[in-house]
Amino acid sequence: MLKDLFNKKKKYASIPSEQSKVDIPEGLMKKCDNCYKIFYRKEMNNNLNVCPNCGHHHQLNAWERIDSLFDKDTFVEWDKGMITSNPLDFPGYEEKMENDRKKTGLNEGVVSGKGFLNGQETAFAVMDSRFRMGSMGSVMGEKIARAVENARKESLPFIIFTASGGARMQEGVLSLMQMSKTSVAIKRFSDAGGLMISVMTHPTTGGVSASFASLGDYNFAEPGALIGFAGRRIIEQTTREKLPDDFQTAEFLFKHGQLDQVIHRHDLKNVLGTLLKMHQKGGNPE
Amino acid sequence: MKQILEFEKPIVNLKEKIAELKKFTGESDIDLSEEITTLEKRLADLEDDIYGNLKPWQRVQMARHQERPTTLDYIAELFTDFLEFHGDRNFGDDEAIVSGIAYYKGVPVTVIGHQRGKNTKENIRRNFGMPHPEGYRKALRHMKQADKFNRPIICFIDTKGADPGKESEERGQSEAIARNLMEMAGLKVPIVCIVIGEGGSGGALALGVGDLIFMLENSTYSVISPEGAAALLWKDSGLAQKAAESMKITAPDLFELGIIDEIIAEPKGGAHRNIKQQAENIDKVIEKSLVELNKLSVDELLEKRWEKYKQIGDYKEH
């Protein structure tokens, strides 16, 4: 019949019954943000938070990232106890920080340290966007600058995983100056022959993308990550330009020559491992 | 038509009144000189009171004043034989940044600065002083040349921010800014930076990694515009005035935070009232800075630059 070719329009909305809500324990299942398919959370976690159906990369928090890359029990954390002093006496800032500390178990939106990746030692900083959107204030700037300095002093490579909405408004111009502080540290490190690798993850925008995230000897990104300088809304408002759907994605940047590679999370450890190896002792295989 | 700011209106009104009285005295036989003297005294007090106690938001308005002198105005006053050079050698020339070499008291220096327009036509040509990536790359090209030929670098900072647009993103606005921050850190020549108007975020900082940083009294330097901050923090850009106060963006704020080295005084009523006087004030600072920085060896210069930026920030450690 001809009418079978057309979908019947539903006459009513389906609302899950109270019973069905009760049956599924909290957090057992996870729905993909992109294809909306539902998976066991465990299945998704075992897949490094990459959707088994469509390959969408969901965010990893700092410790999930570290566990996914570092050889077991080789990670040493630096400057764990550093916290904000609310330098501008910004109203409400400390309460917000306290909430995020409780929520994430972190003291700031970045974890730094050193460890072994595929048997090779490297310094490391990984940002966590759950903490104040991964925004950069004095603590983050100081932790990253120190990690880079430590890498220089110990002649280690430095890998950074960025995830940040940009500058931390509540620290005003001090947060802006963390861009120069980290960049000056990276220059010293680079001049001493240090290898820096930047992996931009979702999202990497504003002051973070306009400083250390873009300063790797190699700049990578995860698929689908939002990366950019100005916010999409601001660009649309100021220029009234029509922006393509893939605007400011990792793939968009790659297309425009801004990235060395877009790397699937499953391949990341191996690519980084190989790259570290190639930069050791002149890169010669033993 | 001169731009009059809201808080300047009492001064303008009083000035008009004095002018009226003077005209009246000239035209009639009645002697009003006593009244005029009283009013002129009151005007001086009023000016001291208003301009001497500018609130952060009023300074923002001063920094954005239509007639505020721009980079090219100061170049004309401070340097001789300025030769402007163009282009980043990759994409194009960005007129939101002017860059070139000139003599400063007989010594060749590289001069780079953001350039706003003074009218709509010029503003469109110069993109309202908001550089594209090629602007920053042009600046970097000239900085590297300064490094090669051992010329000090003088940077004038005056921008609302880097251009936010589709093409800027395509051409790597983030990378262009980041690259400047990193490369400026390693230049083996003295770098003196002066914020003359608005120092807007990363777009300002990309010319701002200097050995000494100065701000004109009524300039601002901030991570985001007060309007933007208010929209982000309180979802209401109308609270810009409050944001200007909380965000600590004025020259005295930055001096207190230990970010800038000195505040350069402005003539009463702002830099645009007396460009020559303003240029003289800047001149003294540049001269002093170069004498100081030229004494340092390259190693000392770079070490001091690192120390300067290393200490910026505030935190607690447990």
Side-chain angles (χ1 to χ4, degrees):
Chain A
M1 292 281 284
L2 188 65
K3 71 174 181 185
D4 289 340
L5 290 172
F6 301 97
N7 287 330
K8 267 187 197 159
K9 206 172 175 183
K10 266 192 186 170
K11 290 201 181 82
Y12 50 87
S14 55
I15 298 165
S17 67
E18 282 305 308
Q19 187 57 43
S20 68
K21 276 186 201 163
V22 175
D23 280 350
I24 304 167
E26 186 75 28
L28 182 67
M29 309 300 282
K30 185 172 164 63
K31 186 158 75 175
C32 172
D33 291 343
N34 183 52
C35 71
Y36 305 121
K37 234 182 135 171
I38 297 172
F39 296 91
Y40 281 109
R41 184 170 288 276
K42 217 173 160 188
E43 192 183 354
M44 192 80 102
N45 288 353
N46 287 343
N47 205 32
L48 299 178
N49 269 354
V50 176
C51 173
N53 180 48
C54 71
H56 180 72
H57 285 50
H58 297 91
Q59 283 165 280
L60 286 180
N61 69 42
W63 285 106
E64 285 171 339
R65 174 75 65 189
I66 290 163
D67 288 342
S68 79
L69 291 169
F70 279 88
D71 307 343
K72 213 172 167 2
D73 302 325
T74 64
F75 186 75
V76 182
E77 188 174 356
W78 289 329
D79 305 311
K80 186 187 165 97
M82 202 187 291
I83 59 167
T84 181
S85 63
N86 191 8
L88 304 190
D89 292 323
F90 209 93
Y93 181 32
E94 270 158 296
E95 291 74 31
K96 283 188 172 131
M97 293 295 282
E98 187 54 38
N99 285 342
D100 280 7
R101 266 181 230 131
K102 281 198 189 123
K103 190 177 80 187
T104 61
L106 303 171
N107 280 329
E108 247 302 329
V110 65
V111 176
S112 62
K114 63 177 176 179
F116 285 80
L117 193 156
N118 277 1
Q120 290 155 106
E121 195 174 23
T122 181
F124 196 83
V126 52
M127 297 167 78
D128 194 318
S129 65
R130 294 173 307 162
F131 198 102
R132 297 277 89 213
M133 281 287 287
S135 59
M136 175 161 61
S138 296
V139 174
M140 185 176 284
E142 179 68 16
K143 281 180 86 166
I144 290 170
R146 281 194 198 178
V148 172
E149 267 295 280
N150 288 347
R152 185 180 67 86
K153 286 177 190 155
E154 298 185 29
S155 300
L156 292 173
F158 178 68
I159 307 179
I160 187 149
F161 279 81
T162 59
S164 173
R168 178 140 335 141
M169 293 301 122
Q170 291 88 348
E171 295 194 24
V173 73
L174 284 174
S175 66
L176 178 71
M177 292 296 155
Q178 303 309 309
M179 292 169 65
S180 30
K181 177 176 180 167
T182 50
S183 303
V184 180
I186 290 166
K187 180 66 181 164
R188 276 164 68 86
F189 173 64
S190 181
D191 283 354
L195 162 70
M196 171 161 161
I197 303 170
S198 169
V199 183
M200 296 177 231
T201 76
H202 182 77
T204 296
T205 59
V208 166
S209 101
S211 59
F212 49 83
S214 299
L215 292 177
D217 295 294
Y218 306 96
N219 293 334
F220 302 128
E222 286 196 329
L226 170 76
I227 304 163
F229 175 67
R232 188 184 180 109
R233 217 163 25 132
I234 292 172
I235 298 174
E236 277 172 342
Q237 277 168 8
T238 46
T239 64
R240 315 219 170 270
E241 273 179 287
K242 176 133 180 55
L243 301 172
D245 288 341
D246 72 342
F247 187 61
Q248 292 183 326
T249 58
E251 292 74 15
F252 174 89
L253 266 82
F254 180 75
K255 193 166 78 188
H256 289 282
Q258 305 297 336
L259 294 171
D260 288 291
Q261 279 186 19
V262 178
I263 304 177
H264 194 286
R265 197 173 284 160
H266 290 167
D267 302 328
L268 204 50
K269 187 171 177 175
N270 276 337
V271 174
L272 292 176
T274 307
L275 202 50
L276 288 177
K277 205 167 177 181
M278 284 173 163
H279 287 78
Q280 262 184 359
K281 296 172 197 141
N284 301 319
E286 64 271 28
Chain B
M1 181 64 199
K2 293 248 180 230
Q3 186 193 4
I4 296 159
L5 302 172
E6 190 59 38
F7 62 88
E8 295 180 299
K9 280 189 179 151
I11 296 172
V12 177
N13 289 343
L14 194 54
K15 272 188 184 162
E16 277 169 7
K17 216 170 270 174
I18 294 169
E20 246 171 60
L21 287 185
K22 277 184 179 163
K23 197 175 156 213
F24 189 71
T25 314
E27 287 167 359
S28 67
D29 297 337
I30 309 162
D31 180 23
L32 292 169
S33 56
E34 210 169 292
E35 282 83 354
I36 292 171
T37 319
T38 320
L39 284 184
E40 276 176 341
K41 166 99 183 31
R42 203 198 292 171
L43 175 67
D45 290 346
L46 189 65
E47 281 189 320
D48 284 343
D49 188 43
I50 289 177
Y51 292 128
N53 299 292
L54 287 181
K55 304 233 164 22
W57 180 245
Q58 294 169 335
R59 289 194 201 271
V60 171
Q61 291 171 292
M62 286 285 234
R64 293 173 178 172
H65 200 284
Q66 272 169 21
E67 293 135 48
R68 194 163 176 87
T70 65
T71 295
L72 283 174
D73 293 321
Y74 291 126
I75 288 177
E77 293 291 335
L78 292 164
F79 307 97
T80 51
D81 295 326
F82 176 63
L83 296 169
E84 187 182 351
F85 301 127
H86 298 269
D88 72 338
R89 299 294 186 270
N90 280 305
F91 180 81
D93 184 42
D94 185 352
E95 296 193 80
I97 287 182
V98 294
S99 183
I101 58 177
Y103 278 116
Y104 178 72
K105 299 184 197 294
V107 179
V109 293
T110 289
V111 189
I112 303 170
H114 300 98
Q115 184 62 43
R116 289 179 292 115
K118 290 223 170 151
N119 52 50
T120 311
K121 200 178 157 201
E122 200 194 351
N123 258 323
I124 288 167
R125 181 159 70 91
R126 299 195 180 276
N127 198 31
F128 297 84
M130 299 187 294
H132 292 86
E134 54 272 20
Y136 294 118
R137 289 173 182 144
K138 168 172 75 174
L140 182 59
R141 190 170 71 80
H142 289 156
M143 289 184 203
K144 294 239 172 183
Q145 243 167 29
D147 192 61
K148 176 180 175 185
F149 295 110
N150 200 23
R151 281 192 293 264
I153 300 168
I154 317 287
C155 290
F156 293 102
I157 293 167
D158 186 16
T159 183
K160 289 184 187 311
D163 173 72
K166 179 169 166 271
E167 296 198 347
S168 288
E169 297 286 331
E170 288 172 349
R171 297 201 288 275
Q173 187 69 287
S174 288
E175 197 273 346
I177 294 171
R179 183 67 48 200
N180 277 21
L181 302 181
M182 180 173 167
E183 295 301 335
M184 285 183 88
L187 297 173
K188 300 183 290 295
V189 293
I191 308 169
V192 178
C193 301
I194 303 156
V195 186
I196 57 173
E198 281 184 277
S201 194
L205 198 63
L207 299 184
V209 185
D211 298 300
L212 292 167
I213 310 170
F214 302 96
M215 282 176 78
L216 298 198
E217 199 182 326
N218 297 317
S219 62
T220 59
Y221 207 160
S222 64
V223 68
I224 187 171
S225 71
E227 289 85 349
L232 269 180
L233 286 165
W234 307 301
K235 315 258 177 286
D236 181 0
S237 58
L239 294 173
Q241 208 161 327
K242 181 182 166 194
E245 276 157 32
S246 330
M247 301 275 291
K248 308 263 180 354
I249 61 173
T250 66
D253 290 331
L254 268 89
F255 185 70
E256 208 174 299
L257 289 168
I259 294 171
I260 60 165
D261 294 275
E262 210 177 291
I263 300 167
I264 302 176
E266 290 190 25
K268 201 193 279 178
H272 57 287
R273 306 273 165 169
N274 192 339
I275 298 183
K276 286 215 181 303
Q277 178 62 52
Q278 189 61 68
E280 268 175 45
N281 294 355
I282 295 175
D283 184 45
K284 283 180 203 140
V285 168
I286 295 178
E287 188 174 18
K288 194 175 69 178
S289 301
L290 292 183
V291 168
E292 188 184 316
L293 294 172
N294 280 331
K295 283 183 199 153
L296 303 173
S297 69
V298 170
D299 287 347
E300 287 169 336
L301 187 73
L302 294 181
E303 193 61 29
K304 252 189 97 184
R305 200 177 292 157
W306 161 238
E307 294 291 334
K308 179 184 184 70
Y309 289 93
K310 195 169 83 165
Q311 57 84 29
I312 298 179
D314 206 89
Y315 46 84
K316 290 190 274 200
E317 275 186 278
H318 291 297

